[in-house]
Amino acid sequence: MSRYIREGDNPDLTEERRKASFDTEAMAELFWGARNLMRRREIANYVEQHREFDDPQPTAFMTREELIENATRKAVLTMEHAEKAIDITRDEESHYFNALTMGIDGNPFGLHLVMAIPTIMNNADEGQQDEWLPKALNREFIATYAQTEMGHGTNLKKLETTATYDPKTQEFILHSPTITSTKWWPGNLGKSSNYSVVMAQLYSQGKCYGAHPFFVQLRDLRTHKPLPGITVGDIGPKFGINTNDNGFLRFDQVRIPRRSMFMKHAKILPDGTYVPPSHSKLNYSAMVYVRAAVVSLMASHLLACSTIAVRYSCIRRQGEITPGTGEVKVLDYQTQQYRIFPQIARGVAFRLSGNYIIQLYRQTMTDIKNGDISAVPDLHAISCGLKAVTSYQGALGLEQCRMACGGHGYLQASGFPLQYTVAIGACTYEGENMVMLLQTARHLIKMAKAIRSGRPPKPNKVIDYLFKKGPTKCLIDQTYDPNYQSVLEAFEHLSRRVTLEVYDRLVQLQQQGRSYELAWNECAVDLCKATRAHVRTFLAKTFVEEVNKIADISLKSVFQDLLQLYLFYEVTECAAGLLEDGFMSGQQLTYAKKNVYDALAKIRPNAAAIVDSFDISDRELQSVLGRRDGNVYENLLKWAQMSPLNKHDVLPFHHKYLGKMMDEARQKSKL
Ligand SMILES: CCCCCCCCCCCCC/C=C/C(=O)SCCNC(=O)CCNC(=O)[C@H](O)C(C)(C)COP(=O)(O)OP(=O)(O)OC[C@H]1O[C@@H](n2cnc3c(N)ncnc32)[C@H](O)[C@@H]1OP(=O)(O)O
Ligand SMILES: Cc1cc2nc3c(=O)[nH]c(=O)nc-3n(C[C@H](O)[C@H](O)[C@H](O)COP(=O)(O)OP(=O)(O)OC[C@H]3O[C@@H](n4cnc5c(N)ncnc54)[C@H](O)[C@@H]3O)c2cc1C
């Protein structure tokens, strides 16, 4: 018996696992890296041995208060166990440990770890870091990130919370002047946090200097009651992440010391003089971090949901393909493969680009510390576009996986509602997706201007292709092309064309008398298309580069199948754009489709082993349909029997309403 095939497993799933053309363990090592995989296994074992991390019942059956209490209990346990279970200096280990112990629906430390600590690290000056960081790491307080207000989330310039400097007392006065200035949404703000990063309009010497971050104590450290002048609470149930106490917050003339303003970049001197930062957006770095992290987060969601969908599709038999030969596994239907396998391929693509963008983020933060801010605009541009594209495609992909599981996919027991409701938040938080696409487009338009004026900027891996002249006709079906250069060139062509076309239209509209802003708005849909084309090119190139690095032939061949699917699926997705200017022919589109179908057929026998190699445990999946052992039906029944409604054969209020109604109806009909 192996790690993947065990006694008592569903025989249909075992048969699938035996079919694989590669060694699943070797694939898992390639996917995670040998050391990371070993550490994942050790961490998972650690958690399995500590049953106190188990939920007392499936979270789907809990009330909101029970959810939050359970998450809080496990969050404290997680912190207590962290040093024994993981190397806390390694983010990968922390993320994995947290996902195993606390799940994905939220926990009281979410924003503390993901936004408040990064803000302290990147926006506090040395003295402030010395004071706040050890306490933050030591969990002496829990902080969140309060930026969005009821009236404004996107347009930070219009935030209404004010921080007015009073040089007499050397304090800021925080105030929420209107209902719409109420901070609204911050994760863990409602009940868990006692501190927060607060974005407020900075006023000094009668002048407004725009939104700046402040570090503010919200609750008494002993009683946990809100401090005087502070009104704080939970915003109520949401589409998802109901384990998270997203909150509201108001200030009524609350005084905080001058040194509560984050002063690494901008400063207020004791007399009220404002010292500007070297780059006006350096205070936004925590947002940049989460945008970059979303790419890997979407990979995790897609890989988890495709694991569920593939496993379930291997044990679900329904209908015959050849009459009289018996019911097939639903994974044998080409339509099923077409729904699920592209999600696997996209998940892998996101994982590879997610690694790249997080490294770029870390490098840029180090550069900023050393006084070099040159990479900031490029990081902002690509992270906004990637965040928007991966969260949107991730959301669509999860829904495909759900639908691929038929009726059972709609059950909470499938695990999809949890994955989906958590994942789609990323289309909105950290910058609404359209707004993010338009941020990247600003960068692309600058590049287009440089192309038109014949002055390329200094070399940059992400945008260099825009300045090259590619082939004038698509060559995807013409040459032997193991590195898919002609597909990449097609993506580059599309990106270059839509970027230049929308740039030319912007210029033309201005020449016709429109202001830049009005012209921009008239071009906004196409500007978003330019960003999507650019991000597609980036994701595809990263995928090709990474597959080329694989040495093991049998593993490489599996990745090549996924790459083939990814690239040609993307060709079909953007076919309208490639056909529009005659770059690609209808015949070439047929060729692309054929490549998609060929790839589906090649992936089919390996599908179960591919998803096994993602090494996603049952504890993470929280899915009866996606169980490793494939024993779905008996466990679905067990799961339903745990429903609180089944505590009583007859619901306590039955006779009050339905019972009474039917009794009365029967009596009337007897009369
Ligand atoms: C498996 C991995 C697990 C990892 C774990 C991850 C877990 C994830 C958990 C998720 C938790 C979610 C928590 C959510 C938190 C939030 O949502 S916090 C609130 C987020 N809010 C936003 O994102 C607001 C969006 N709005 C903006 O960012 C800005 O308002 C704007 C739209 C970008 C415009 O900014 P503004 O200052 O008004 O712009 P302008 O003055 O017009 O300037 C524009 C120029 O500035 C450049 N720029 C903008 N932002 C940045 C930046 N961050 N960095 C660098 N440069 C920036 C922009 O490009 C413009 O430049 P030019 O074109 O040169 O003018
Ligand atoms: C799950 C979740 C968690 C969150 N966590 C936090 C948190 O911890 N801390 C925090 O501070 N905030 C948080 N937020 C708030 C979040 O960051 C904002 O909701 C988000 O930035 C979008 O802003 P908005 O709500 O103002 O949307 P709006 O800007 O009002 O969006 C409404 C519509 O207007 C469009 N639109 C707006 N401006 C433009 C424009 N310039 N061009 C084109 N279209 C435009 C948008 O595309 C969208 O279609 C969270 C939100 C969610 C959903």
Side-chain angles (χ1 to χ4, degrees), residues 387-422:
K387 180 269 185 195
V389 168
T390 58
S391 59
Y392 177 69
Q393 292 186 352
L396 295 184
L398 301 194
E399 180 61 351
Q400 283 300 320
C401 290
R402 175 192 75 78
M403 288 191 284
C405 294
H408 296 329
Y410 194 72
L411 286 169
Q412 295 253 358
S414 69
F416 291 126
L418 177 63
Q419 293 279 343
Y420 183 73
T421 52
V422 172

Side-chain angles (χ1 to χ4, degrees), residues 111 145 147-148 153-154 185-187 241 428-432 434-435:
L111 269 286
Y145 185 88
Q147 178 173 291
T148 306
T154 295
W185 264 118
I241 61 162
T428 307
Y429 66 63
E430 228 55 86
E432 208 288 319
M434 292 301 145
V435 176

Side-chain angles (χ1 to χ4, degrees), residues 62-75 105-108 191-192 234 238 241-246:
M62 293 185 191
T63 63
R64 185 135 187 261
E65 213 167 322
E66 286 168 344
L67 281 173
I68 294 177
E69 181 176 349
N70 185 43
T72 307
R73 175 186 70 80
K74 292 197 295 179
D105 200 47
N107 68 77
K191 298 291 161 188
S192 316
D234 173 69
K238 297 144 294 187
I241 61 162
N242 284 308
T243 310
N244 195 320
D245 51 327
N246 294 80

Side-chain angles (χ1 to χ4, degrees), residues 178-250:
T178 58
I179 292 289
T180 47
S181 70
T182 307
K183 293 288 175 194
W184 192 266
W185 264 118
N188 314 126
L189 169 66
K191 298 291 161 188
S192 316
S193 302
N194 47 11
Y195 271 77
S196 184
V197 176
V198 174
M199 279 281 184
Q201 298 290 353
L202 166 62
Y203 283 85
S204 187
Q205 298 175 338
K207 196 170 163 205
C208 178
Y209 291 96
H212 283 70
F214 297 81
F215 198 49
V216 186
Q217 184 176 347
L218 305 178
R219 289 173 178 270
D220 183 273
L221 293 184
R222 202 179 49 80
T223 63
H224 200 59
K225 290 249 167 75
L227 292 178
I230 288 176
T231 309
V232 61
D234 173 69
I235 60 171
K238 297 144 294 187
F239 206 97
I241 61 162
N242 284 308
T243 310
N244 195 320
D245 51 327
N246 294 80
F248 65 81
L249 170 66
R250 290 185 58 74

Side-chain angles (χ1 to χ4, degrees), residues 49 111 144 152 167 184 188 212 215 243 271 323 325 362 379 427 471 489 552 565 568 579 646 659 666:
Q49 280 159 19
L111 269 286
T144 180
H152 292 91
W184 192 266
N188 314 126
H212 283 70
F215 198 49
T243 310
D271 68 351
T325 55
R362 288 192 182 130
L379 172 67
C427 297
E489 279 165 2
D552 182 297
L565 175 61
F568 286 103
L579 294 167
N646 294 325
R666 275 193 301 272

Side-chain angles (χ1 to χ4, degrees), residues 643-662:
S643 166
L645 284 185
N646 294 325
K647 277 190 192 142
H648 316 271
D649 277 335
V650 179
L651 289 174
F653 49 83
H654 173 82
H655 293 295
K656 195 170 159 192
Y657 301 110
L658 294 178
K660 186 167 167 242
M661 178 195 78
M662 289 185 284

